[in-house]
Amino acid sequence: MSLSVKFGIISIIFLTGCVTSTPYQPADYLGNGYKDVQLTDNKMRISFKGNKVTERETVETYLFYRAAEVTQDKGFRFFRFTHFETDRMSETESMSPAFYGFYPRDRRRFPYYVYGPNQPYGGTVTHNEFEAVAFVSMAMDLKKGDEESYYQASQVIKNLQSKIKKKELKEE
């Protein structure tokens, strides 16, 4: 096997190992992460967008957690969603061999092919990206009958804490 073929195989293995789910973080330069917009004193628009390997459940959990976090940061104890939706953006990609070569055998040459990530035989693959968006209404105290429609922010944070994977900070 030639040096360029070996380098190509190593490059593909390295690149496929680098893709990880979007961590719980403010939106990065690609828009992946959470964004908050203050609408009124007690109303917010909150969103969380994941990358191609972030599952829908993770995106929605992170949005829910962010709503609870913002509620506490703004000095409120309870929140509810007045609108909540999750959008899916799909992208279909055709994969062809990344490179190919020949095995010598009995004076004949037999081809071999190396395909891109997660596609051992090439073909078509669909990637999904999810973004959850919610309008949140926050309250300090609840009126009688509101208990069913509001969440207690501290309880949500406590219950979801173990599911939140935050971005690792690099030590300098």
Side-chain angles (χ1 to χ4, degrees), residues 11-149:
S11 297
I12 288 174
I13 291 169
F14 177 74
L15 289 174
T16 57
C18 291
V19 180
T20 60
S21 180
T22 301
Y24 183 80
Q25 65 182 14
D28 61 15
Y29 66 95
L30 296 172
N32 298 328
Y34 60 79
K35 295 179 193 172
D36 310 326
V37 178
Q38 181 93 35
L39 302 173
T40 67
D41 289 343
N42 70 330
K43 292 185 181 3
M44 302 280 298
R45 178 187 183 275
I46 300 172
S47 65
F48 190 92
K49 181 177 180 270
N51 62 16
K52 293 177 183 180
V53 297
T54 308
E55 300 205 16
R56 179 183 180 141
E57 182 180 352
T58 302
V59 168
E60 291 175 349
T61 299
Y62 286 4
L63 178 102
F64 212 97
Y65 186 84
R66 183 64 187 159
E69 222 176 34
V70 167
T71 298
Q72 286 190 330
D73 291 348
K74 299 291 180 185
F76 295 97
R77 295 176 44 216
F78 302 95
F79 71 95
R80 71 181 173 119
F81 297 117
T82 57
H83 178 80
F84 185 105
E85 70 179 46
T86 304
D87 295 324
R88 179 179 72 197
M89 288 78 63
S90 296
E91 178 182 288
T92 302
E93 177 181 13
S94 294
M95 302 290 288
S96 59
F99 54 88
Y100 63 93
F102 294 94
Y103 291 115
R105 183 174 173 186
D106 298 334
R107 296 185 187 172
R108 291 180 280 174
R109 293 168 31 132
F110 292 93
Y112 67 86
Y113 301 91
V114 177
Y115 291 89
N118 302 324
Q119 291 296 308
Y121 305 109
T124 303
V125 64
T126 300
H127 302 285
N128 293 311
E129 289 184 0
F130 296 99
E131 180 175 19
V133 179
F135 289 90
V136 178
S137 181
M138 300 170 284
M140 190 60 181
D141 295 309
L142 299 181
K143 296 175 187 165
K144 188 172 182 160
D146 282 347
E147 296 87 5
E148 289 298 315
S149 62

